[in-house]
Amino acid sequence: MDIQTLRDSHPDHWMRSSAIRTLALDGVAAANSGHSGMPMGMADVATVLFSKHLKFDASAPRWPDRDRFILSAGHGSMLIYALMYLTGYADMTLEQVKNFRQWGAITAGHPEFGHVAGVETTTGPLGQGIANAVGFAMAEESLRARWGAKVQDHFTYVIAGDGCLMEGISQEAIGLAGKHQLSRLIVLWDNNGITIDGKVSLSDITDQVARFKASGWDVFECDGHDPVAIDQALTAAKASPHPAMIACKTHIAIGHAAQDTSKGHGALTDAAQMKAAKETYGWPYPAFEIPAEIKSWWEGVGAKGASARQEWETRLAALSTAKQAEFARIFSLDVPNKLSATIRALKKQAAEDAPKMATRAASEKVLQAVNPVLTETIGGSADLTGSNNTKTADLGVFGPEDRKGRYVYYGIREHGMAAAMNGMALHGGVRPYGGTFMCFTDYARPSMRLSALMGIPVVYVMTHDSIGLGEDGPTHQPVEHLAISRATPNTLVFRPADLVETAEAWEIALTQKTTPSVLALSRQNLAAVRKTHTYQNMTAKGAYILAEAKQKRQVILMATGSEVEIALKARDMLEAEGIGTRVVSMPSMELFAQSDEAWRKKVLPGGSVRIAIEAGVRMGWDRWLLGERGRDGKADFVGMSSFGASAPYERLYKEFGITAEATVAKAKALL
């Protein structure tokens, strides 16, 4: 349908959608950067979605039973900013729109969760939004099953572009959604056939309609500029028993000289061309000016969900006081009081029994105690359930047959799993954790980074954390992955040494509200190192004195995880030679760095030789070896400087020199 026909046949709709188009043009032009074409092309779809289908209340943007709208094609962020301004979100003022992409404005270049109340997730890295949406839909299904449709009953809508669908994560996501028959998930594909380089056909011939159908989705198609056709497609998609994709045939940068070209993808700032486009729209108003009658109509769209929200509040208030309190607790990410007592009891028993076990098995033991207490957890694994030890007997399996199940078989989809967990955490009401091998943090990395960027408490259970996994060889032996995880801002990395430290790490991870956690856990059995029960969570300090020097202290050995027992053995050998040696366990560098200076000085005073022992690369250790009060030049590292090899783990530790004997030799050489 051409523009003149649209203007003639749907004049009111056309002017309302053109408010989005012109705000996008004006915002990008003012910033002299951004992406004009997608908001212009999808303005008609967004207008129909928001006005006729989306359940939301602009005055209560965090209402738990709202529909979720996710702009997976996050480069077109002016679309969501325009919609929020038009519908009356309090913080999205016209001044914010005018300051698009500027310092201090909430209108960042790509939508940022936490900056704007109506942005459900950070998007921009293509494919992340559609994959997050799968997690949103899974959380909705889970909560609806457990709380009833009177409390949780809503849809998740996604606008995705050609780039989102080309990214590999999209296949992981749509395969998972199809398997789980997530009928409340609707993806609106901006089918404009254009990428930055040119036509999509330059790089891709995929039949997206066939691909979605093959993955268990129902697919609908419409003219993405015809409001009647868009409305009919959305109505049919909502009635579908499967996840639904609507292929919306659109023109990028519609009405502009750059329409249907790669130039239309980016910033359209030429004043004459903008003027001509607005004339084509029949839009005679100055930059950023929205006529009162159009703004009033859009504000009515933003307010129409208030009655649905109020009815939901009435239904929630009809629940028992205990249930209301529990609902508030899970959405505020508070933990039940019983959690700390459960962890303490487990620690006490572990200190008494001193079991020799892999920390992946220790993690399972913690989860067996915690999952019945923290009933909002949803666990999972990327096809490594028996290796990650993430499933406990009480969880049940989430699927179309059992929406109350709390364990997800993600399949070989590390990236999709991490993105779905982000979506669950962002939806609220659940605490997701999921496992794979530590080495495969590489496959999950973009979503793990976004967990940290958004400040959401996803827990990554990463087992087989070193050359200690043995015979699988260097492809599966992580050496740089601890350093990469530690280098990521706002991420807690734990490498516990035994069951006690593992329990403490889990307690910290499960009480976070704005920080994800990575648990690096061993495949091989480890000796218990914490044999005296302490009420205090020592892991929360990041590092602590595990064994003090008997002689005058000359050496401090620092270690994590499986290497703590090596440090203890080296200490015994050094002490036998009259060399006083302290052992410091450092399960979390991040928490140690956050601890007060007095504690850090107490644990790592100056004047002693320092050696760090870890079956990974040295990067990240120099602060504790040479910085603060360490003696320059009187430090060394026992660990990896290369990739591993295929052999039994005992042989690998010996061949790579990660032994008590090598540690003693380095200490004596430094003295």
mmCIF file with all atom_site columns, all heavy atoms in Angstrom, residues 25-35 100-102 267-270:
data_model
loop_
_atom_site.group_PDB
_atom_site.id
_atom_site.type_symbol
_atom_site.label_atom_id
_atom_site.label_alt_id
_atom_site.label_comp_id
_atom_site.label_asym_id
_atom_site.label_entity_id
_atom_site.label_seq_id
_atom_site.pdbx_PDB_ins_code
_atom_site.Cartn_x
_atom_site.Cartn_y
_atom_site.Cartn_z
_atom_site.occupancy
_atom_site.B_iso_or_equiv
_atom_site.pdbx_formal_charge
_atom_site.auth_seq_id
_atom_site.auth_comp_id
_atom_site.auth_asym_id
_atom_site.auth_atom_id
_atom_site.pdbx_PDB_model_num
ATOM 1   N N   . LEU A 1 25  ? 12.966 11.000 13.045 1.00 0.00 ? 25  LEU A N   1
ATOM 2   C CA  . LEU A 1 25  ? 13.777 11.839 12.165 1.00 0.00 ? 25  LEU A CA  1
ATOM 3   C C   . LEU A 1 25  ? 14.395 13.006 12.919 1.00 0.00 ? 25  LEU A C   1
ATOM 4   O O   . LEU A 1 25  ? 15.598 13.288 12.793 1.00 0.00 ? 25  LEU A O   1
ATOM 5   C CB  . LEU A 1 25  ? 12.910 12.375 11.020 1.00 0.00 ? 25  LEU A CB  1
ATOM 6   C CG  . LEU A 1 25  ? 12.703 11.470 9.808  1.00 0.00 ? 25  LEU A CG  1
ATOM 7   C CD1 . LEU A 1 25  ? 11.592 12.025 8.919  1.00 0.00 ? 25  LEU A CD1 1
ATOM 8   C CD2 . LEU A 1 25  ? 13.990 11.315 9.014  1.00 0.00 ? 25  LEU A CD2 1
ATOM 9   N N   . ASP A 1 26  ? 13.603 13.673 13.740 1.00 0.00 ? 26  ASP A N   1
ATOM 10  C CA  . ASP A 1 26  ? 14.086 14.857 14.451 1.00 0.00 ? 26  ASP A CA  1
ATOM 11  C C   . ASP A 1 26  ? 15.118 14.502 15.510 1.00 0.00 ? 26  ASP A C   1
ATOM 12  O O   . ASP A 1 26  ? 16.119 15.209 15.677 1.00 0.00 ? 26  ASP A O   1
ATOM 13  C CB  . ASP A 1 26  ? 12.906 15.597 15.099 1.00 0.00 ? 26  ASP A CB  1
ATOM 14  C CG  . ASP A 1 26  ? 11.944 16.198 14.072 1.00 0.00 ? 26  ASP A CG  1
ATOM 15  O OD1 . ASP A 1 26  ? 12.384 16.405 12.915 1.00 0.00 ? 26  ASP A OD1 1
ATOM 16  O OD2 . ASP A 1 26  ? 10.783 16.441 14.422 1.00 0.00 ? 26  ASP A OD2 1
ATOM 17  N N   . GLY A 1 27  ? 14.880 13.409 16.246 1.00 0.00 ? 27  GLY A N   1
ATOM 18  C CA  . GLY A 1 27  ? 15.823 13.007 17.289 1.00 0.00 ? 27  GLY A CA  1
ATOM 19  C C   . GLY A 1 27  ? 17.181 12.629 16.721 1.00 0.00 ? 27  GLY A C   1
ATOM 20  O O   . GLY A 1 27  ? 18.228 13.039 17.241 1.00 0.00 ? 27  GLY A O   1
ATOM 21  N N   . VAL A 1 28  ? 17.172 11.860 15.654 1.00 0.00 ? 28  VAL A N   1
ATOM 22  C CA  . VAL A 1 28  ? 18.426 11.436 15.028 1.00 0.00 ? 28  VAL A CA  1
ATOM 23  C C   . VAL A 1 28  ? 19.142 12.637 14.416 1.00 0.00 ? 28  VAL A C   1
ATOM 24  O O   . VAL A 1 28  ? 20.369 12.766 14.516 1.00 0.00 ? 28  VAL A O   1
ATOM 25  C CB  . VAL A 1 28  ? 18.167 10.336 13.980 1.00 0.00 ? 28  VAL A CB  1
ATOM 26  C CG1 . VAL A 1 28  ? 19.415 10.063 13.157 1.00 0.00 ? 28  VAL A CG1 1
ATOM 27  C CG2 . VAL A 1 28  ? 17.681 9.064  14.654 1.00 0.00 ? 28  VAL A CG2 1
ATOM 28  N N   . ALA A 1 29  ? 18.376 13.524 13.806 1.00 0.00 ? 29  ALA A N   1
ATOM 29  C CA  . ALA A 1 29  ? 18.992 14.711 13.206 1.00 0.00 ? 29  ALA A CA  1
ATOM 30  C C   . ALA A 1 29  ? 19.620 15.599 14.264 1.00 0.00 ? 29  ALA A C   1
ATOM 31  O O   . ALA A 1 29  ? 20.719 16.140 14.071 1.00 0.00 ? 29  ALA A O   1
ATOM 32  C CB  . ALA A 1 29  ? 17.949 15.490 12.408 1.00 0.00 ? 29  ALA A CB  1
ATOM 33  N N   . ALA A 1 30  ? 18.956 15.764 15.396 1.00 0.00 ? 30  ALA A N   1
ATOM 34  C CA  . ALA A 1 30  ? 19.504 16.593 16.474 1.00 0.00 ? 30  ALA A CA  1
ATOM 35  C C   . ALA A 1 30  ? 20.798 16.000 17.015 1.00 0.00 ? 30  ALA A C   1
ATOM 36  O O   . ALA A 1 30  ? 21.744 16.728 17.338 1.00 0.00 ? 30  ALA A O   1
ATOM 37  C CB  . ALA A 1 30  ? 18.478 16.735 17.592 1.00 0.00 ? 30  ALA A CB  1
ATOM 38  N N   . ALA A 1 31  ? 20.860 14.673 17.107 1.00 0.00 ? 31  ALA A N   1
ATOM 39  C CA  . ALA A 1 31  ? 22.064 13.998 17.608 1.00 0.00 ? 31  ALA A CA  1
ATOM 40  C C   . ALA A 1 31  ? 23.130 13.883 16.533 1.00 0.00 ? 31  ALA A C   1
ATOM 41  O O   . ALA A 1 31  ? 24.305 13.655 16.841 1.00 0.00 ? 31  ALA A O   1
ATOM 42  C CB  . ALA A 1 31  ? 21.703 12.600 18.122 1.00 0.00 ? 31  ALA A CB  1
ATOM 43  N N   . ASN A 1 32  ? 22.691 14.008 15.274 1.00 0.00 ? 32  ASN A N   1
ATOM 44  C CA  . ASN A 1 32  ? 23.567 13.776 14.123 1.00 0.00 ? 32  ASN A CA  1
ATOM 45  C C   . ASN A 1 32  ? 24.146 12.371 14.145 1.00 0.00 ? 32  ASN A C   1
ATOM 46  O O   . ASN A 1 32  ? 25.242 12.118 13.656 1.00 0.00 ? 32  ASN A O   1
ATOM 47  C CB  . ASN A 1 32  ? 24.697 14.817 14.054 1.00 0.00 ? 32  ASN A CB  1
ATOM 48  C CG  . ASN A 1 32  ? 25.316 14.890 12.663 1.00 0.00 ? 32  ASN A CG  1
ATOM 49  O OD1 . ASN A 1 32  ? 24.627 14.693 11.660 1.00 0.00 ? 32  ASN A OD1 1
ATOM 50  N ND2 . ASN A 1 32  ? 26.609 15.151 12.598 1.00 0.00 ? 32  ASN A ND2 1
ATOM 51  N N   . SER A 1 33  ? 23.404 11.452 14.736 1.00 0.00 ? 33  SER A N   1
ATOM 52  C CA  . SER A 1 33  ? 23.783 10.034 14.745 1.00 0.00 ? 33  SER A CA  1
ATOM 53  C C   . SER A 1 33  ? 22.567 9.227  15.157 1.00 0.00 ? 33  SER A C   1
ATOM 54  O O   . SER A 1 33  ? 21.653 9.737  15.808 1.00 0.00 ? 33  SER A O   1
ATOM 55  C CB  . SER A 1 33  ? 24.952 9.759  15.696 1.00 0.00 ? 33  SER A CB  1
ATOM 56  O OG  . SER A 1 33  ? 24.542 9.833  17.047 1.00 0.00 ? 33  SER A OG  1
ATOM 57  N N   . GLY A 1 34  ? 22.583 7.959  14.787 1.00 0.00 ? 34  GLY A N   1
ATOM 58  C CA  . GLY A 1 34  ? 21.476 7.088  15.143 1.00 0.00 ? 34  GLY A CA  1
ATOM 59  C C   . GLY A 1 34  ? 20.949 6.362  13.922 1.00 0.00 ? 34  GLY A C   1
ATOM 60  O O   . GLY A 1 34  ? 21.608 6.272  12.894 1.00 0.00 ? 34  GLY A O   1
ATOM 61  N N   . HIS A 1 35  ? 19.728 5.830  14.064 1.00 0.00 ? 35  HIS A N   1
ATOM 62  C CA  . HIS A 1 35  ? 19.143 4.999  13.016 1.00 0.00 ? 35  HIS A CA  1
ATOM 63  C C   . HIS A 1 35  ? 17.686 5.421  12.817 1.00 0.00 ? 35  HIS A C   1
ATOM 64  O O   . HIS A 1 35  ? 16.834 5.119  13.653 1.00 0.00 ? 35  HIS A O   1
ATOM 65  C CB  . HIS A 1 35  ? 19.229 3.519  13.392 1.00 0.00 ? 35  HIS A CB  1
ATOM 66  C CG  . HIS A 1 35  ? 20.634 3.057  13.643 1.00 0.00 ? 35  HIS A CG  1
ATOM 67  N ND1 . HIS A 1 35  ? 21.275 3.282  14.849 1.00 0.00 ? 35  HIS A ND1 1
ATOM 68  C CD2 . HIS A 1 35  ? 21.511 2.405  12.850 1.00 0.00 ? 35  HIS A CD2 1
ATOM 69  C CE1 . HIS A 1 35  ? 22.502 2.763  14.784 1.00 0.00 ? 35  HIS A CE1 1
ATOM 70  N NE2 . HIS A 1 35  ? 22.664 2.228  13.581 1.00 0.00 ? 35  HIS A NE2 1
ATOM 71  N N   . PHE A 1 100 ? 18.556 12.981 22.620 1.00 0.00 ? 100 PHE A N   1
ATOM 72  C CA  . PHE A 1 100 ? 18.867 11.624 22.179 1.00 0.00 ? 100 PHE A CA  1
ATOM 73  C C   . PHE A 1 100 ? 20.379 11.448 22.010 1.00 0.00 ? 100 PHE A C   1
ATOM 74  O O   . PHE A 1 100 ? 21.049 12.245 21.371 1.00 0.00 ? 100 PHE A O   1
ATOM 75  C CB  . PHE A 1 100 ? 18.139 11.389 20.853 1.00 0.00 ? 100 PHE A CB  1
ATOM 76  C CG  . PHE A 1 100 ? 18.386 10.061 20.192 1.00 0.00 ? 100 PHE A CG  1
ATOM 77  C CD1 . PHE A 1 100 ? 18.193 8.868  20.866 1.00 0.00 ? 100 PHE A CD1 1
ATOM 78  C CD2 . PHE A 1 100 ? 18.780 10.016 18.853 1.00 0.00 ? 100 PHE A CD2 1
ATOM 79  C CE1 . PHE A 1 100 ? 18.397 7.646  20.237 1.00 0.00 ? 100 PHE A CE1 1
ATOM 80  C CE2 . PHE A 1 100 ? 18.988 8.804  18.197 1.00 0.00 ? 100 PHE A CE2 1
ATOM 81  C CZ  . PHE A 1 100 ? 18.795 7.616  18.907 1.00 0.00 ? 100 PHE A CZ  1
ATOM 82  N N   . ARG A 1 101 ? 20.900 10.395 22.645 1.00 0.00 ? 101 ARG A N   1
ATOM 83  C CA  . ARG A 1 101 ? 22.310 10.003 22.537 1.00 0.00 ? 101 ARG A CA  1
ATOM 84  C C   . ARG A 1 101 ? 23.290 10.986 23.186 1.00 0.00 ? 101 ARG A C   1
ATOM 85  O O   . ARG A 1 101 ? 24.483 10.932 22.934 1.00 0.00 ? 101 ARG A O   1
ATOM 86  C CB  . ARG A 1 101 ? 22.718 9.798  21.062 1.00 0.00 ? 101 ARG A CB  1
ATOM 87  C CG  . ARG A 1 101 ? 22.143 8.538  20.443 1.00 0.00 ? 101 ARG A CG  1
ATOM 88  C CD  . ARG A 1 101 ? 22.576 8.346  19.009 1.00 0.00 ? 101 ARG A CD  1
ATOM 89  N NE  . ARG A 1 101 ? 22.321 6.958  18.583 1.00 0.00 ? 101 ARG A NE  1
ATOM 90  C CZ  . ARG A 1 101 ? 23.210 6.166  18.012 1.00 0.00 ? 101 ARG A CZ  1
ATOM 91  N NH1 . ARG A 1 101 ? 24.430 6.598  17.783 1.00 0.00 ? 101 ARG A NH1 1
ATOM 92  N NH2 . ARG A 1 101 ? 22.894 4.935  17.671 1.00 0.00 ? 101 ARG A NH2 1
ATOM 93  N N   . GLN A 1 102 ? 22.789 11.858 24.055 1.00 0.00 ? 102 GLN A N   1
ATOM 94  C CA  . GLN A 1 102 ? 23.671 12.842 24.679 1.00 0.00 ? 102 GLN A CA  1
ATOM 95  C C   . GLN A 1 102 ? 23.965 12.464 26.128 1.00 0.00 ? 102 GLN A C   1
ATOM 96  O O   . GLN A 1 102 ? 23.227 11.716 26.766 1.00 0.00 ? 102 GLN A O   1
ATOM 97  C CB  . GLN A 1 102 ? 23.043 14.239 24.611 1.00 0.00 ? 102 GLN A CB  1
ATOM 98  C CG  . GLN A 1 102 ? 22.698 14.680 23.195 1.00 0.00 ? 102 GLN A CG  1
ATOM 99  C CD  . GLN A 1 102 ? 23.856 14.551 22.224 1.00 0.00 ? 102 GLN A CD  1
ATOM 100 O OE1 . GLN A 1 102 ? 24.897 15.178 22.418 1.00 0.00 ? 102 GLN A OE1 1
ATOM 101 N NE2 . GLN A 1 102 ? 23.684 13.751 21.175 1.00 0.00 ? 102 GLN A NE2 1
ATOM 102 N N   . ALA A 1 267 ? 21.607 7.227  9.945  1.00 0.00 ? 267 ALA A N   1
ATOM 103 C CA  . ALA A 1 267 ? 21.146 8.565  10.315 1.00 0.00 ? 267 ALA A CA  1
ATOM 104 C C   . ALA A 1 267 ? 20.763 9.359  9.072  1.00 0.00 ? 267 ALA A C   1
ATOM 105 O O   . ALA A 1 267 ? 21.604 9.599  8.199  1.00 0.00 ? 267 ALA A O   1
ATOM 106 C CB  . ALA A 1 267 ? 22.242 9.286  11.089 1.00 0.00 ? 267 ALA A CB  1
ATOM 107 N N   . LEU A 1 268 ? 19.516 9.794  9.007  1.00 0.00 ? 268 LEU A N   1
ATOM 108 C CA  . LEU A 1 268 ? 19.027 10.607 7.891  1.00 0.00 ? 268 LEU A CA  1
ATOM 109 C C   . LEU A 1 268 ? 18.942 12.051 8.380  1.00 0.00 ? 268 LEU A C   1
ATOM 110 O O   . LEU A 1 268 ? 18.005 12.415 9.098  1.00 0.00 ? 268 LEU A O   1
ATOM 111 C CB  . LEU A 1 268 ? 17.661 10.093 7.430  1.00 0.00 ? 268 LEU A CB  1
ATOM 112 C CG  . LEU A 1 268 ? 17.625 8.609  7.032  1.00 0.00 ? 268 LEU A CG  1
ATOM 113 C CD1 . LEU A 1 268 ? 16.211 8.189  6.655  1.00 0.00 ? 268 LEU A CD1 1
ATOM 114 C CD2 . LEU A 1 268 ? 18.597 8.337  5.883  1.00 0.00 ? 268 LEU A CD2 1
ATOM 115 N N   . THR A 1 269 ? 19.918 12.841 8.029  1.00 0.00 ? 269 THR A N   1
ATOM 116 C CA  . THR A 1 269 ? 20.032 14.179 8.610  1.00 0.00 ? 269 THR A CA  1
ATOM 117 C C   . THR A 1 269 ? 19.979 15.310 7.589  1.00 0.00 ? 269 THR A C   1
ATOM 118 O O   . THR A 1 269 ? 20.013 16.477 7.968  1.00 0.00 ? 269 THR A O   1
ATOM 119 C CB  . THR A 1 269 ? 21.352 14.293 9.398  1.00 0.00 ? 269 THR A CB  1
ATOM 120 O OG1 . THR A 1 269 ? 22.451 14.032 8.517  1.00 0.00 ? 269 THR A OG1 1
ATOM 121 C CG2 . THR A 1 269 ? 21.394 13.307 10.551 1.00 0.00 ? 269 THR A CG2 1
ATOM 122 N N   . ASP A 1 270 ? 19.902 15.000 6.318  1.00 0.00 ? 270 ASP A N   1
ATOM 123 C CA  . ASP A 1 270 ? 19.851 16.039 5.301  1.00 0.00 ? 270 ASP A CA  1
ATOM 124 C C   . ASP A 1 270 ? 18.550 16.834 5.447  1.00 0.00 ? 270 ASP A C   1
ATOM 125 O O   . ASP A 1 270 ? 17.446 16.271 5.383  1.00 0.00 ? 270 ASP A O   1
ATOM 126 C CB  . ASP A 1 270 ? 19.940 15.419 3.909  1.00 0.00 ? 270 ASP A CB  1
ATOM 127 C CG  . ASP A 1 270 ? 19.924 16.464 2.809  1.00 0.00 ? 270 ASP A CG  1
ATOM 128 O OD1 . ASP A 1 270 ? 18.806 16.852 2.380  1.00 0.00 ? 270 ASP A OD1 1
ATOM 129 O OD2 . ASP A 1 270 ? 21.014 16.901 2.395  1.00 0.00 ? 270 ASP A OD2 1
#
